[in-house]
Amino acid sequence: MLEIKGQITDIIYENEINGYMIAEFKTEEEETVITGYLPFINNGDSLKLMGKFVTHPEYGRQFKIETFEKIMPETLDALERYLAGGIITGVGPATAKKIINEFGNETIHVLRFEPDKLSNIKGINTEKAIRISEEFTEKWSLWEIVGFLEKFGISAQNSKKVYEAFGKDAISEIEANPYMLLDITYGVDFKKIDKMALDLGLAINDEKRIESAIKYSLALASNNGNTCVEKQNLITFVRNLLNVEPQDIETSLINLKARTKIEIEDLEGIEWVYLNTFYICEKNIAEKLLILKQSKNIKKIKDFEKKFKQKEKNINIVLSEKQKEAIKAVNDNNVCIITGGPGTGKTTIIKFIIELYKNEGKKVVLCAPTGRAAKRMSEATGEEATTIHRLLALGKMEETLGMERVDYQISPIDSDIIIIDEMSMVDVFLMNYILKGLYIGTKLVLVGDINQLPSVGPGNVLKDIINSETIEVIELNEIFRQAAQSQIIINAHKVNNGENFLETPKEEIKDKLQDFFFINEPSMAKMLEDVVSLCSGRLKKYGNYDFFKDIQVLTPTKRGKLGTKELNIELQKVLNQNKKTEKKHGERTFLIGDRVMQIKNNYDIYWERKNKENGTGIFNGELGTISKIDDITKQIEIKFDDEKTAWYEYNELEQLEHSYSITIHKSQGSEFDVVIMCLPQAAPMLLTRNLLYTGITRARKLLIVLGTKKTVEYMIQNTETKKRNTGLEYKIKKLSK
């Protein structure tokens, strides 16, 4: 890595949000163009830059910055240029020259510590002198903060957040308690912060250290879907993490509880520890569900039986007894759950409910957790459906230690009845916000399939509510005649019932749709060849399928020869030859035409639609296609599957992954015309029945499964899904007594 020193002489481009800059830079030897992230840097600043020279295909030789250090101008000429650059209000070239002429080598000392002397210069009164000193000192503080945090591996971008939180006292605040950084910056490594604290002289058993480790450990557990951790397990984990005594951890637990940072709940003699946010979410959900359930049924349709029969006759639908029971339950209850697998008539029920209540002049609102699920809901019902985030107008929700805020203000939802599809995907945070937005008396219908994978976020909301046996639940278990012609649907139900679809007699599938194929392939290399050939034209005889519009490759894992990482590399090579413009980011290379997926919630990012609609927020799991790569603005343009177009700064590309292949987990809530599902040998925890079931139910027209009979048999028998530690079921039961 090279090191160069000099001064910025001209800023060509600057992104004020993230600090990305292109500038002219003058060293003793030459003038060159520099590119990189330089937050808080202005024209005239002197810098020490670490990085390397690169040759841009269009703009020539440039210095690409890895890290930087702000230094004071080393000559009076450089200092004058700096002060003349307009970074301090009221100081231009003429005033800068006067200050340098008056104070020479003492200029910086006067600006910082003896501002009253500035009033000796004509045109600077006492008030202006103090203001000049304050601005100069504030910028000095910025440089010190960036340099201080950079030593501990904290990026310049996170330094900006730190300054916004603590101001010019940031260094002293951090030195007093480095763990505060975990509360204001997202994605900072606990071990780095802990090392910083110990390097600064903090004692191993300092209360601040232990309390931070407890919060970090609880947040870590939430990454696996847990909302709480058994107290003894937590103490063991923290003890091993910090090498401290159990009694010190016990003391910190007591103190954190006293300050309502955590909650401890006794559940049948076992103590469970929650981060306060998770506990509040579960408590709010339990309380609001019971309030809704017990409230007067003001949206109930009078003369229901008569109107039901008339509507059934008018729209010429013959409903099963279970479907009738579900629709009646919606009328009789303020809250109810409709659950069932594919082909059991959930969509027909939703359509009937819409017709019935609209006929009464009631407003029905449809929503789902993801853009694709909402789009599918709209297509199936003919009515507008939206994402839950959009319905609730959720803006930016700060995330620290993997947690979202729970006190975000929600505008009430204008509806008489709200129907939420794909409820198994909804985590405790989202459910808390949904219920916050409901008026008492609004009917709530939760539709989902509890046999699918649980939410990516913490909690097991749908299952916990069902298991509480407090809310009305209708389980659909009859496959309708038309759906029963599909081998995809039949085999999904077989898997769910623990039956091996590979043993189905040929005569049983003779008259069924040819929409399900199994390729028995033990060789990983051959399986990869098959996936590539299936995606690049081999399916033509089964339909005019285009990979980018119709086909999705699914796999249980990210790693290995048939994990998403390798599959995406191989599929990109074959399916996207558009290498004219590319952007490398880490190990990934992004090309125009690439299929990509958003992998974390971004509440800030701006988007537009062709109909002039616009807004902010792209959320975890949304799929799109790269439509433009612009090296001038350092942005990538992406058109998402729900017609949103968004622009990503180059430094935001860690939020994106290629999605030629995605994990089965990430596919939940989506349907694709054609699914090619790889089942390689993988960790037993990945090869489960509900994972196989979820993968099968993503296919709409054609499903091809590649793997071995042994792997399929193992998955069907493996019902050992990873249990999530949650307390919602307990809270609902307790409050309902």
Side-chain angles (χ1 to χ4, degrees):
M1 190 181 294
L2 291 174
E3 178 183 300
I4 61 174
K5 286 165 68 174
Q7 190 172 32
I8 290 181
T9 55
D10 183 33
I11 295 174
I12 300 167
Y13 169 80
E14 181 180 15
N15 184 315
E16 291 182 4
I17 296 172
N18 61 32
Y20 183 86
M21 188 180 288
I22 304 170
E24 295 278 357
F25 191 72
K26 185 177 182 180
T27 69
E28 287 185 0
E29 293 81 25
E30 63 175 336
E31 285 195 11
T32 188
V33 172
I34 60 171
T35 64
Y37 297 99
L38 296 170
F40 310 127
I41 296 304
N42 301 282
N43 206 8
D45 281 353
S46 294
L47 306 173
K48 180 163 70 175
L49 306 176
M50 283 67 77
K52 61 183 178 181
F53 280 103
V54 296
T55 302
H56 189 278
E58 194 171 340
Y59 303 109
R61 186 170 179 266
Q62 300 176 345
F63 189 83
K64 187 176 179 182
I65 303 162
E66 294 292 330
T67 62
F68 77 97
E69 183 182 325
K70 171 79 183 202
I71 56 177
M72 285 310 301
E74 295 179 343
T75 67
L76 290 178
D77 284 345
L79 182 56
E80 184 180 331
R81 283 197 301 273
Y82 170 71
L83 294 174
I87 65 146
I88 298 173
T89 307
V91 177
T95 304
K97 184 176 278 296
K98 289 177 186 177
I99 292 171
I100 295 297
N101 289 342
E102 179 74 21
F103 302 111
N105 291 327
E106 294 295 308
T107 299
I108 291 172
H109 176 82
V110 169
L111 287 167
R112 291 192 67 198
F113 303 112
E114 297 184 81
D116 54 305
K117 288 185 176 180
L118 291 171
S119 58
N120 296 334
I121 295 173
K122 189 177 179 181
I124 301 179
N125 58 27
T126 304
E127 185 182 335
K128 186 175 179 180
I130 292 169
R131 192 173 66 245
I132 290 170
S133 176
E134 284 176 348
E135 278 197 51
F136 184 86
T137 304
E138 182 183 9
K139 287 180 171 55
W140 182 284
S141 301
L142 292 179
W143 315 327
E144 289 182 319
I145 291 163
V146 173
F148 174 77
L149 293 175
E150 207 272 332
K151 291 174 190 171
F152 299 102
I154 295 171
S155 70
Q157 287 163 271
N158 272 327
S159 300
K160 197 167 186 177
K161 287 185 186 175
V162 173
Y163 181 76
E164 286 165 359
F166 297 124
K168 62 179 190 283
D169 298 323
I171 292 176
S172 58
E173 293 271 4
I174 294 162
E175 285 179 333
N177 181 10
Y179 300 101
M180 288 192 302
L181 289 167
L182 291 163
D183 295 329
I184 61 169
T185 58
Y186 180 71
V188 175
D189 188 347
F190 173 83
K191 290 178 181 177
K192 281 185 178 177
I193 302 297
D194 192 43
K195 183 180 184 305
M196 177 198 292
L198 295 174
D199 287 348
L200 289 169
L202 203 74
I204 283 178
N205 64 344
D206 189 284
E207 194 173 283
K208 293 189 285 285
R209 182 174 186 245
I210 298 170
E211 287 183 3
S212 184
I214 290 168
K215 290 190 290 180
Y216 165 75
S217 303
L218 290 170
L220 204 61
S222 76
N223 292 339
N224 292 319
N226 303 297
T227 60
C228 55
V229 174
E230 193 176 334
K231 183 180 172 184
Q232 283 309 123
N233 290 343
L234 176 64
I235 289 171
T236 301
F237 185 86
V238 173
R239 184 184 184 186
N240 292 335
L241 182 68
L242 301 183
N243 193 26
V244 293
E245 294 302 317
Q247 59 265 33
D248 292 330
I249 302 169
E250 289 273 12
T251 301
S252 290
L253 286 167
I254 292 166
N255 292 337
L256 283 168
K257 188 176 188 305
R259 301 202 311 277
T260 65
K261 298 295 183 184
I262 64 167
E263 293 290 340
I264 301 175
E265 187 172 60
D266 191 301
L267 213 163
E268 297 177 351
I270 298 174
E271 288 187 300
W272 295 86
V273 186
Y274 298 77
L275 282 165
N276 183 254
T277 47
F278 297 130
Y279 183 84
I280 289 171
C281 277
E282 288 191 346
K283 182 170 174 288
N284 289 351
I285 292 166
E287 288 175 350
K288 188 66 178 278
L289 280 174
L290 290 168
I291 289 169
L292 288 170
K293 172 186 162 71
Q294 293 159 7
S295 298
K296 188 176 179 181
N297 191 353
I298 58 175
K299 308 294 183 184
K300 186 172 184 176
I301 296 173
K302 294 173 183 176
D303 300 322
F304 176 77
E305 289 294 335
K306 180 182 174 183
K307 291 173 179 175
F308 177 91
K309 286 176 182 174
Q310 186 62 48
K311 181 57 67 179
E312 192 176 16
K313 184 180 177 182
N314 288 349
I315 60 178
N316 196 26
I317 291 178
V318 179
L319 299 166
S320 71
E321 289 306 310
K322 272 287 184 184
Q323 286 178 312
K324 290 176 183 177
E325 182 188 336
I327 295 163
K328 188 174 185 302
V330 171
N331 192 54
D332 291 342
N333 297 275
N334 286 330
V335 187
C336 71
I337 295 170
I338 300 168
T339 183
T344 56
K346 297 192 295 293
T347 300
T348 301
I349 291 169
I350 293 171
K351 287 166 77 172
F352 199 97
I353 291 167
I354 293 167
E355 289 291 327
L356 204 56
Y357 281 84
K358 277 176 69 178
N359 203 49
E360 292 290 302
K362 306 291 187 191
K363 184 174 181 180
V364 183
V365 169
L366 308 179
C367 62
T370 66
R372 286 189 79 97
K375 187 179 179 183
R376 184 158 50 88
M377 200 179 186
S378 293
E379 290 167 352
T381 62
E383 299 287 331
E384 183 186 358
T386 182
T387 63
I388 296 169
H389 282 87
R390 196 163 156 221
L391 174 68
L392 300 176
L394 290 177
K396 182 180 180 182
M397 292 191 289
E398 294 166 19
E399 294 183 33
T400 56
L401 274 178
M403 299 176 293
E404 291 178 342
R405 285 172 46 189
V406 294
D407 59 348
Y408 196 81
Q409 292 304 306
I410 299 296
S411 300
I413 302 166
D414 178 21
S415 68
D416 296 299
I417 176 168
I418 178 169
I419 304 173
I420 306 175
D421 199 9
E422 295 288 356
M423 259 303 297
S424 61
M425 297 182 70
V426 174
D427 64 23
V428 288
F429 288 116
L430 206 48
M431 190 63 181
N432 174 48
Y433 284 123
I434 291 164
L435 293 172
K436 273 181 118 178
L438 293 190
Y439 286 113
I440 303 303
T442 300
K443 282 185 177 291
L444 177 62
V445 182
L446 308 177
V447 183
D449 184 347
I450 56 168
N451 295 306
Q452 288 187 23
L453 297 164
S455 58
V456 175
N460 209 349
V461 174
L462 182 63
K463 198 166 188 177
D464 281 355
I465 297 173
I466 291 172
N467 289 346
S468 73
E469 299 179 346
T470 304
I471 303 300
E472 184 72 19
V473 178
I474 298 87
E475 185 173 356
L476 306 170
N477 46 30
E478 178 187 345
I479 306 175
F480 283 85
R481 189 187 310 169
Q482 188 176 350
Q485 298 305 303
S486 167
Q487 289 186 68
I488 294 171
I489 290 174
I490 292 169
N491 289 340
H493 284 274
K494 283 190 171 186
V495 167
N496 199 31
N497 295 328
E499 301 171 33
N500 191 342
F501 59 81
L502 297 177
E503 296 173 354
T504 305
K506 285 186 179 178
E507 57 270 19
E508 194 177 308
I509 60 173
K510 185 174 63 174
D511 299 322
K512 305 294 183 189
L513 289 173
Q514 295 301 298
D515 60 358
F516 189 111
F517 296 92
F518 175 72
I519 299 174
N520 186 25
E521 182 52 70
S523 164
M524 302 271 272
K526 184 66 172 64
M527 212 188 296
L528 179 59
E529 283 178 27
D530 282 341
V531 170
V532 171
S533 66
L534 287 164
C535 290
S536 54
R538 187 168 146 194
L539 294 178
K540 288 293 181 187
K541 65 178 180 180
Y542 295 99
N544 189 27
Y545 296 124
D546 173 77
F547 178 85
F548 292 95
K549 292 178 183 175
D550 308 306
I551 301 172
Q552 183 62 60
V553 178
L554 302 182
T555 180
T557 180
K558 290 183 176 183
R559 297 179 181 87
K561 199 172 187 68
L562 288 166
T564 55
K565 189 176 175 182
E566 290 299 322
L567 280 167
N568 276 317
I569 290 169
E570 295 302 317
L571 289 168
Q572 185 194 44
K573 281 180 192 173
V574 173
L575 298 169
N576 191 355
Q577 303 298 316
N578 191 0
K579 294 190 166 66
K580 185 179 178 182
T581 306
E582 63 178 47
K583 169 59 186 167
K584 290 188 181 295
H585 186 82
E587 296 179 359
R588 300 188 190 104
T589 300
F590 291 104
L591 306 171
I592 293 171
D594 275 347
R595 291 287 291 156
V596 291
M597 173 185 273
Q598 176 79 13
I599 59 170
K600 63 172 281 189
N601 289 342
N602 183 333
Y603 298 93
D604 291 330
I605 197 160
Y606 175 81
W607 54 260
E608 292 177 354
R609 283 194 177 95
K610 280 185 180 177
N611 62 3
K612 296 188 179 176
E613 181 187 4
N614 60 63
T616 57
I618 305 288
F619 301 102
N620 193 348
E622 292 199 50
L623 294 163
T625 302
I626 294 176
S627 49
K628 188 176 181 182
I629 297 174
D630 191 331
D631 263 340
I632 302 290
T633 62
K634 306 294 177 186
Q635 289 181 326
I636 282 183
E637 180 184 272
I638 296 172
K639 186 174 182 182
F640 285 90
D641 290 355
D642 61 354
E643 305 300 319
K644 293 195 301 275
T645 297
W647 295 264
Y648 286 71
E649 305 291 340
Y650 279 0
N651 72 305
E652 295 175 316
L653 297 182
E654 75 280 352
Q655 299 175 36
L656 297 171
E657 282 183 357
H658 288 100
S659 63
Y660 294 88
S661 170
I662 61 176
T663 62
I664 296 170
H665 278 87
K666 286 287 190 182
S667 73
Q668 195 162 354
S670 299
E671 272 189 356
F672 310 93
D673 282 354
V674 179
V675 167
I676 298 166
M677 182 163 59
C678 305
L679 299 177
Q681 289 185 341
M685 62 181 286
L686 292 173
L687 300 178
T688 62
R689 180 187 294 178
N690 67 348
L691 191 87
L692 178 59
Y693 174 76
T694 300
I696 290 172
T697 54
R698 299 310 91 203
R700 194 158 35 206
K701 295 180 180 177
L702 181 64
L703 173 66
I704 299 165
V705 180
L706 300 97
T708 64
K709 290 181 179 180
K710 187 178 177 182
T711 301
V712 171
E713 288 166 4
Y714 179 83
M715 292 182 81
I716 291 169
Q717 297 307 314
N718 183 13
T719 57
E720 294 296 315
T721 55
K722 198 168 185 181
K723 186 182 181 300
R724 293 189 168 195
N725 297 321
T726 63
L728 180 58
E729 178 188 338
Y730 169 75
K731 290 178 180 66
I732 297 172
K733 283 179 175 176
K734 186 179 177 183
L735 286 171
S736 63
K737 287 179 182 176

